[in-house]
Amino acid sequence: MTSDWTTYRELLLPGATGRRGVESELRRAVRDGRLGPGTRLPSSRDLAAQLGVARGTVTSAYAQLVGEGYLVARRGSGTTVAATAAPPRAVAEEPRARPSRRFDLRPGVPALGAFPREEWLQAQKTALLALPADDLGYPDPAGFPPLRRELADYLGRVRAVVAGPAEVVVVNGAAEGTSLTGRVLAAAGHTSVAVEEPSHPGAADVLASHGLAVRPVPVDDKGIRVDVLATTDCRAVLVTAAHQFPLGVVLHPERRRALLDWARARDGVVIEDDYDAEHRYDRPALGAMQALDPARVVYQGSASKVLAPALRLGWLVLPPGLRDPVVRRKRLDDLGTGTLHQAAFAQLLRTGGYDRHLRRTRRLYRARRDALLDELARRLPAWTPIGVAAGLHVVVRLPDGTDDLALQERLAGHGVHAPALANYARTPTFPGLVLGYAATTPDRLRLAVRELSRVVGDRP
């Protein structure tokens, strides 16, 4: 008859029989790195029960290894692996340290320190307490129904999106939304997709990974060139209409109409990535393109730029012909996005916490943008800001003839991470830097610009 036993802490030691065997296996586990510094071991009683040996055998083994310096025993704290017992190979396997970044001006990063922790915790608690037990099972692959209702209301109110809960699908961030859309389009017979030039390479890479040939289409001061788009073989296009990434221009109303006419004529699809449309500082945002033709536009958004990328919460608003295929694909991929975060986010939307956070961060980001541009105007007047006052970044155009990639490398050598515009372009545009300001305080932004000025002045 097999005896039942429970243990506070399990520890697998194959071949540990007798005091010498227990000693040897423990010593080997520490040397091999299976038991890292600070790891707490089971009590002598628990480990003896697991190994089927006398408690005194384990006590003696522990005492021997404490004496050898492998373990540390403290009254009331149990036995742990000594901090000095790290195996020699651990040092060799440590990843190389990144170059020091005194100023990180990457675009697309919100003020993570401003995340509304207390409101989020309260929303999590309230949502979890109210959640029926059945909702702790596998989620609806289309998304948590209460969140889809809240999103439909919010997007209609703030972005003029025309949708009910049935058209909304919750995804694990905008990246998964792009991936699902690309896979469904490829399965439906699309062989290519157009993207803005310049644009974020990540979205194009995702679409290309599903077998779609990526066709770059240039952007000017009115947005994507629909006349050039019409010369391609594409029936789908990805645009950032509200605030083009990275140039920051707004798609002109005439271009919007022309783009939708193109989609109707081609029996095509417009993927509208509304990645940071809520962040406007000197003008109201235009409504989403989706409202002009819900049957032709896939609307995509996420909480990454408003709350934090770590949440991995995004959404799609889909035309009727794409909704069911996307949900089927989502179910096959991961069975659905986690319910607990969805429930908390629905609570935050329902109680106005999301709106309040947006109001706070709009003021915060406006002050940071102003500080950056004021200091640039003072110290580097030949650098010209491009685009409208919106979002989490600004493109600055550098003097003609500047090698922006070379400048990026020089700045990195001085601890400033300032990406070159060339990183986002497949064909040459103008020299520029894409400077994120949302995650950096005004004082730090001023210091960063002073460092930019100093590096530019120290020409090799």
Side-chain angles (χ1 to χ4, degrees), residues 342-431:
Q342 290 191 71
F345 187 41
Q347 178 70 14
L348 201 67
L349 285 168
R350 185 181 307 115
T351 59
Y354 195 68
D355 291 83
R356 288 190 294 273
H357 180 67
L358 260 174
R359 287 195 294 272
R360 290 191 296 266
T361 53
R362 280 194 191 111
R363 291 193 296 269
L364 186 72
Y365 298 158
R366 176 61 188 265
R368 294 180 177 189
R369 187 178 192 275
D370 289 348
L372 174 65
L373 296 186
D374 288 349
E375 198 69 18
L376 283 170
R378 181 178 302 111
R379 296 182 178 274
L380 293 161
W383 292 18
T384 307
I386 302 295
V388 299
L392 312 182
H393 76 277
V394 63
V395 169
V396 291
R397 181 167 186 161
L398 306 176
D400 290 344
T402 304
D403 184 336
D404 55 3
L405 286 171
L407 178 57
Q408 172 187 288
E409 291 303 311
R410 286 176 58 203
L411 291 170
H414 288 79
V416 181
H417 184 35
L421 179 59
N423 293 312
Y424 303 94
R426 296 161 190 80
T427 56
T429 54
F430 54 82

Side-chain angles (χ1 to χ4, degrees), residues 7 42 52 56 61 65 96 140 152 167 179 184 245 250 255 277 280 325 348 353 383-384 425 430 442 450 452 457:
T7 179
L65 294 178
R96 292 181 179 180
D140 183 336
E167 287 75 48
S179 180
V184 167
F245 185 89
V250 178
R255 296 275 176 92
R280 287 292 180 276
L348 201 67
W383 292 18
T384 307
F430 54 82
R450 291 172 198 170
L452 291 173

Side-chain angles (χ1 to χ4, degrees), residues 64-108:
Q64 178 64 29
L65 294 178
V66 168
E68 293 178 10
Y70 286 98
L71 304 180
V72 175
R74 293 188 179 90
R75 186 179 298 278
S77 299
T79 303
T80 59
V81 177
T84 57
R89 68 171 187 159
V91 175
E93 291 186 347
E94 287 181 0
R96 292 181 179 180
R98 290 182 177 179
S100 174
R101 289 178 177 175
R102 292 185 295 137
F103 303 103
D104 191 348
L105 303 181
R106 284 175 298 162

